[in-house]
């Protein structure tokens, strides 16, 4: 940027333009989407962006949209294109009378984005080429391309089509938790995810399996299905690739959402934080000597005791047989 620290204020957010990054700060207020309030502030390095576009918005507004590269942001990676337009944290809505100023910042950001940005600026100087590139970029940025690549004219370098080698944007930090319909999901912020089942919502399959604790080293990914659609859920994917129930309601590695349970502003940042931890653990494991990796991880004794207690309650209620109780209790004791 010509002036490091310039700030552009829009609806629910301000963008601060640093020499090497775009800093997005979200407002706190009753009208601000809860997801934005949960995110608070995000720093987006320029190398994490594929393009920047400007399009007409609704009711006398324009929309400045910074499009992230594929694989750059764990939040958008976890969302998988399911976010509603108004929840896209990369959109800044401005009054139409500020369009000229928005165009200035769009062009300044494009100048920082390598081949795509330089192609746009070169076209601007020559006239016709700028219209072609601008139309290709802006026409693809109406909110439907969240995190995907922009379509560029033939022969133009397509930085947007190149996924990043690892996340470039930080995931939400710190321990997190939320209530799903059938249990409470907790993440310690570093290495462990826990599901504690609710009597009122958990299926018999989950009660028989007991409360679950997962090491991020044992996981390969996270599957998030938005609570804004039917049958939303958060599922942890094991690195072993062992088969899982097709129904999240029956899978002990998943929690299901419901009305008021697992809302986007709680479950999506949770999914993004866990996904970032999984990728980080995978990279660390790939660089460690084989003999440095732990051979096994002992279970939390308190957690095992709690699972045995639940198992006993199921046995007394007649939901598991004597044989099932004996076998499962022996398995749990073996984990200590």
């Amino acid at each position: 940027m010509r002036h490091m620290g310039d700030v552009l204020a829009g609806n629910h957010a301000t963008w601060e333009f640093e020499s090497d990054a775009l800093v997005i700060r979200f407002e706190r207020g009753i009208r601000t989407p809860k997801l934005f309030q949960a995110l608070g502030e995000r720093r987006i390095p320029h190398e994490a962006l594929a393009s920047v576009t400007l399009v007409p918005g609704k009711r006398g507004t324009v929309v400045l949209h910074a499009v992230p590269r594929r694989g750059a942001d764990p939040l958008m990676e976890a969302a998988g294109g399911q976010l509603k337009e108004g929840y896209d944290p990369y959109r800044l809505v401005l009054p139409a009378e500020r369009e000229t100023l928005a165009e200035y910042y769009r062009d300044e950001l494009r100048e920082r984005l390598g081949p795509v940005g330089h192609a746009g600026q070169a076209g601007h100087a020559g006239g016709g080429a700028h219209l072609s590139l601008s139309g290709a970029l802006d026409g693809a940025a109406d909110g439907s391309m969240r995190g995907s690549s922009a379509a560029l004219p033939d022969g133009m370098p397509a930085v947007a089509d190149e996924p990043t080698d690892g996340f470039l944007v930080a995931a939400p930090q710190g321990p997190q938790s939320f209530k799903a319909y059938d249990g409470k999901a907790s993440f310690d912020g570093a290495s462990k995810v826990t599901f504690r089942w609710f009597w009122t919502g958990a299926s018999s399959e989950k009660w028989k399996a007991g409360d679950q604790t997962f090491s991020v080293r044992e996981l390969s990914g996270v599957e998030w299905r938005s609570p804004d659609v039917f049958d939303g859920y958060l599922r942890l994917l094991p690195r072993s690739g062992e088969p899982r129930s097709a129904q999240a309601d029956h899978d002990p590695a998943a929690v299901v959402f419901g009305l008021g349970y697992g809302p986007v502003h709680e479950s999506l940042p949770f999914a993004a934080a866990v996904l970032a931890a999984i990728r980080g653990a995978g990279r660390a494991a790939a660089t460690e000597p084989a003999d440095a990796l732990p051979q096994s991880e002992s279970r939390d004794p308190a957690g095992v005791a709690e699972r045995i207690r639940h198992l006993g309650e199921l046995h007394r209620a007649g939901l598991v047989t004597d044989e099932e109780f004996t076998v499962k209790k022996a398995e749990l004791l073996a984990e200590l």
Side-chain angles (χ1 to χ4, degrees), residues 2-336:
R2 292 191 181 97
H3 305 288
M4 184 176 72
D6 282 0
V7 173
L8 184 61
N11 290 0
H12 309 311
T14 59
W15 285 13
E16 181 172 347
F17 302 89
E18 296 186 350
S19 60
D20 60 347
L22 170 65
V23 178
I24 303 175
R25 295 186 175 92
F26 298 103
E27 295 177 354
R28 293 188 179 277
I30 192 170
R31 294 179 179 273
T32 303
K34 291 183 178 179
L35 176 61
F36 294 174
Q37 296 186 50
L39 294 175
E41 177 179 317
R42 311 198 79 214
R43 189 176 191 277
I44 317 297
H46 290 154
E47 61 264 31
L49 295 176
S51 65
V52 185
T53 65
L54 182 66
V55 296
K58 300 176 181 177
R59 295 185 292 276
T61 63
V62 293
V63 180
L64 193 59
H65 189 196
V67 183
R69 291 171 60 188
R70 287 180 293 134
D73 185 348
L75 186 85
M76 305 306 283
E77 190 85 351
Q82 299 176 74
L83 282 180
K84 294 179 179 179
E85 188 176 80
Y87 276 14
D88 187 339
Y90 286 86
R91 297 172 77 252
L92 184 67
V93 180
L94 301 158
E97 57 265 26
R98 306 189 74 186
E99 181 175 3
T100 300
L101 185 61
E103 286 178 346
Y104 165 77
Y105 283 112
R106 176 200 62 186
D107 293 343
E108 285 289 297
L109 267 178
R110 282 183 178 175
E111 189 69 24
R112 297 283 180 169
L113 303 187
V116 171
H118 284 297
Q121 293 304 310
H124 181 65
H130 169 70
L131 294 177
S132 175
L133 178 61
S134 178
L137 288 171
D138 292 349
D142 57 0
S144 61
M145 62 174 296
R146 304 173 184 90
S148 62
S149 59
L152 298 175
D154 291 342
M156 289 286 189
V159 172
D161 286 331
E162 300 177 6
T164 60
D165 182 19
F167 293 133
L168 300 176
V169 181
Q173 300 296 309
Q176 299 189 44
S177 65
F178 69 89
K179 288 184 179 180
Y181 175 73
D182 56 356
K184 181 178 180 180
S186 301
F187 177 47
D188 65 1
S191 61
K192 187 191 302 182
V193 182
T194 305
F195 294 160
R196 304 293 188 199
W197 308 123
F198 295 154
W199 276 104
T200 52
S203 63
S204 59
E205 289 87 352
K206 291 183 177 179
W207 275 111
K208 288 182 179 180
D211 293 340
Q212 300 290 299
T213 299
F214 304 88
S215 165
V216 296
R217 286 180 175 271
E218 301 170 350
L219 303 173
S220 64
V222 178
E223 186 176 285
W224 181 79
R225 180 175 171 84
S226 174
D228 290 338
V229 299
F230 183 68
D231 286 342
Y233 60 81
L234 182 145
R235 190 196 304 262
L236 303 176
L237 306 178
R239 195 172 294 279
S240 63
E242 61 187 63
R244 293 286 184 178
S245 170
Q247 293 181 277
D249 184 46
H250 298 163
D251 185 355
V255 290
V256 298
F257 305 146
L259 185 61
Y261 292 97
V264 171
H265 70 280
E266 294 180 352
S267 62
L268 180 56
F270 183 102
V274 174
L275 181 60
I278 291 171
R279 298 281 178 87
R283 285 177 172 272
T287 60
E288 289 178 356
D291 57 2
L293 297 176
Q295 298 301 309
S296 63
E297 290 194 25
S298 61
R299 298 283 184 174
D300 176 15
V304 172
E306 180 67 12
R307 292 173 65 187
I308 292 176
R309 184 182 68 79
H310 283 317
L311 183 65
E313 292 175 349
L314 291 172
H315 181 235
R316 288 190 294 275
L319 297 176
V320 297
T321 65
D322 292 343
E323 182 179 357
E324 289 174 330
F325 173 77
T326 301
V327 171
K328 187 63 179 179
K329 182 178 180 181
E331 291 176 356
L332 291 171
L333 290 172
E335 293 179 4
L336 293 175

